[in-house]
Amino acid sequence: LTAEQIIIALEKFDQSICTVEFLEKLLENIPTPEEMTSIDAYEEGGGAEDHLAEPERYFRKISTVKGLKLKVQAYITLLKFP
């Protein structure tokens, strides 16, 4: 899935995509504050987004989801304890 597809699935809580297994893997791959600081510093230093590697582009896009970590944790809980 692309970052855009993941974002849409999270916004809609699409349970055909947002399974416990998927969300747990996503939780493991949420960018850390240090990773985002590094990407921000690169861009603020004049680096172009299109020169970022694919993982950094993914981090940039997925980090736009408000409360991403809490949202994913809440969805996991909802799915485990209906």
Side-chain angles (χ1 to χ4, degrees), residues 30-62:
I30 290 176
T32 65
E34 293 81 15
E35 290 166 327
M36 292 310 302
T37 299
S38 176
I39 294 168
D40 290 341
Y42 168 77
E43 290 179 339
E44 289 170 6
E49 185 174 340
D50 60 333
H51 290 140
L52 290 171
E54 193 60 34
E56 285 79 14
R57 289 183 197 174
Y58 165 81
F59 283 173
R60 167 62 60 220
K61 290 176 185 171
I62 202 75

Side-chain angles (χ1 to χ4, degrees), residues 10-11 65-76:
L10 289 171
E11 288 173 353
V65 176
K66 300 272 188 213
L68 176 62
K69 187 173 183 178
L70 290 175
K71 184 176 285 194
V72 171
Q73 290 171 328
Y75 287 165
I76 291 170

